[in-house]
């Protein structure tokens, strides 16, 4: 019985893939050596296009990918991160530069996107660690040591890149026919309404030379949707908030 409950818990957490990055406290997983101040803060940070999966629930409860919405959300998100990166913070220039993904060659972009896909496959496990869902992995949260490998080392050297921001997420929305159906059935005694779910987004700050994941953070983006531009921009602002938190111990800023 206990084994079945634990299995159900793991599946539930994996399916949730929770996420908006709220940038507060020590909620995320941070590599232990990041707490030291013996290394310089990153100067060149690559902004990798966000990988969003948006599905639409139809009248018959089937789910279909909405590729146009995915591309729009990714473009809005990435552009807003770039816009925020060139602005000043508290009247001072930022201590790091955000590098546009388009500056890389086609082959280099493919290499980075392969590592983004690898990061995405690790998300469910890292969420289990973050949420203390598996007792045997309790030490992983304290001694966080996940890595994507050194496959981006040459790229980092060629462009003098220090870090990369990897963002992946999911959202589930309802089609117009589904919304109408839910509105009707929700008022009936036996009605069953299928509400749209909050967006799920996760962030990884990766050291390009080694592939080490320096930080992983996530939170439930309540009442936010990847199909809403304002919500997507709010998530982008939260990403930079979390990223700044990872470099504070290294550059001494508050």
């Amino acid at each position: 019985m206990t084994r079945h409950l634990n299995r159900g818990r793991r599946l539930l957490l994996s399916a949730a893939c929770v996420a908006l990055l709220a940038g507060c406290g020590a909620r995320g997983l941070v590599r232990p050596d990041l707490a030291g101040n013996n290394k310089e803060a990153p100067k060149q940070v690559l902004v990798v296009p966000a990988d969003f999966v948006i599905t639409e629930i139809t009248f018959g409860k089937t789910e279909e990918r909405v590729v146009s919405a995915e591309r729009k959300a990714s473009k809005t998100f990435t552009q807003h991160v770039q816009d925020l990166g060139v602005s000043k913070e508290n009247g001072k220039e930022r201590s790091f530069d955000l590098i546009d993904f388009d500056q890389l060659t086609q082959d280099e972009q493919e290499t980075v996107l392969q590592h983004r896909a690898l990061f995405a496959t690790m998300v469910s496990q890292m969420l289990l660690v973050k949420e203390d869902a598996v007792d045997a992995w309790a030490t992983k949260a304290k001694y966080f040591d996940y890595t994507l490998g050194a496959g981006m080392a040459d790229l980092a050297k060629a462009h003098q890149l220090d870090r990369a921001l990897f963002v992946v997420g999911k959202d589930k929305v309802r089609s117009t026919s589904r919304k109408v159906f839910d509105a009707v059935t929700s008022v009936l005694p036996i009605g069953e309404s299928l509400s749209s779910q909050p967006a799920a987004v996760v962030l990884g700050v990766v050291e390009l030379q080694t592939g080490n994941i320096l930080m992983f953070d996530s939170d439930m983006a309540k009442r936010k949707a990847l199909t809403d531009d304002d919500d997507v921009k709010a998530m982008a602002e939260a990403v930079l908030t979390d990223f700044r938190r990872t470099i504070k111990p290294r550059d001494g800023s508050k």
Side-chain angles (χ1 to χ4, degrees):
M1 179 68 176
T2 301
R3 186 171 68 179
H4 288 307
L5 289 174
N6 288 337
R7 182 184 179 189
R9 185 183 183 188
R10 289 196 299 270
L11 291 174
L12 180 61
L13 286 168
S14 297
C17 198
V18 288
L20 171 70
L21 326 170
C24 58
R27 302 186 332 141
L29 299 171
V30 180
R31 210 170 182 87
D33 56 359
L34 196 63
N37 56 7
N38 60 331
K39 296 183 180 180
E40 294 183 358
K43 299 300 181 183
Q44 301 276 78
V45 180
L46 178 66
V47 181
V48 182
D51 184 19
F52 293 144
V53 175
I54 301 176
T55 56
E56 185 177 64
I57 306 170
T58 65
F59 180 82
K61 292 188 178 182
T62 61
E63 292 186 24
E64 298 177 356
R65 290 277 297 273
V66 189
V67 177
S68 60
E70 294 172 354
R71 292 174 177 170
K72 183 176 184 293
S74 178
K75 182 177 180 180
T76 299
F77 184 96
T78 305
Q79 183 60 55
H80 198 55
V81 169
Q82 292 284 7
D83 292 343
L84 292 170
V86 299
S87 65
K88 294 183 178 180
E89 180 183 6
N90 298 326
K92 299 180 180 179
E93 294 291 346
R94 294 187 183 277
S95 59
F96 56 88
D97 294 323
L98 294 181
I99 308 304
D100 193 333
F101 186 73
D102 290 337
Q103 293 184 22
L104 305 183
T105 67
Q106 186 65 37
D107 287 344
E108 290 171 338
Q109 290 182 9
E110 288 297 328
T111 296
V112 174
L113 293 181
Q114 287 174 6
H115 284 79
R116 186 187 66 182
L118 176 59
F119 171 75
T121 65
M122 301 166 68
V123 164
S124 61
Q125 188 180 70
M126 288 188 286
L127 282 170
L128 291 174
V129 174
K130 180 179 178 293
E131 301 298 328
D132 296 324
V134 183
D135 293 339
W137 295 348
T139 57
K140 277 289 186 184
K142 187 175 181 180
Y143 301 102
F144 184 58
D145 61 357
Y146 282 79
T147 183
L148 303 179
M152 297 180 288
D154 290 342
L155 181 149
K157 183 177 180 180
H159 294 273
Q160 298 300 304
L161 296 173
D162 300 304
R163 306 281 183 272
L165 301 181
F166 283 150
V167 177
V168 299
K170 295 181 67 176
D171 198 4
K172 187 179 295 185
V173 298
R174 293 175 294 168
S175 65
T176 301
S177 60
R178 186 70 214 183
K179 290 178 181 178
V180 173
F181 179 78
D182 285 348
V184 174
T185 59
S186 63
V187 299
L188 300 177
I190 58 174
E192 179 183 355
S193 177
L194 184 62
S195 299
S196 58
Q197 299 178 359
V201 179
V202 294
L203 163 70
V205 177
V206 179
E207 186 175 55
L208 282 168
Q209 187 67 37
T210 63
N212 291 340
I213 300 176
L214 301 179
M215 189 196 73
F216 170 86
D217 208 359
S218 63
D219 190 16
M220 179 62 74
K222 295 181 178 178
R223 297 180 299 280
K224 286 184 168 57
L226 291 178
T227 50
D228 185 292
D229 285 352
D230 290 337
D231 287 349
V232 171
K233 290 179 180 179
M235 295 177 193
E237 293 175 14
V239 162
L240 281 188
T241 298
D242 269 14
F243 174 71
R244 287 194 297 271
R245 180 159 58 88
T246 70
I247 69 174
K248 284 181 180 179
R250 297 193 177 202
D251 64 9
S253 62
K254 301 296 183 182

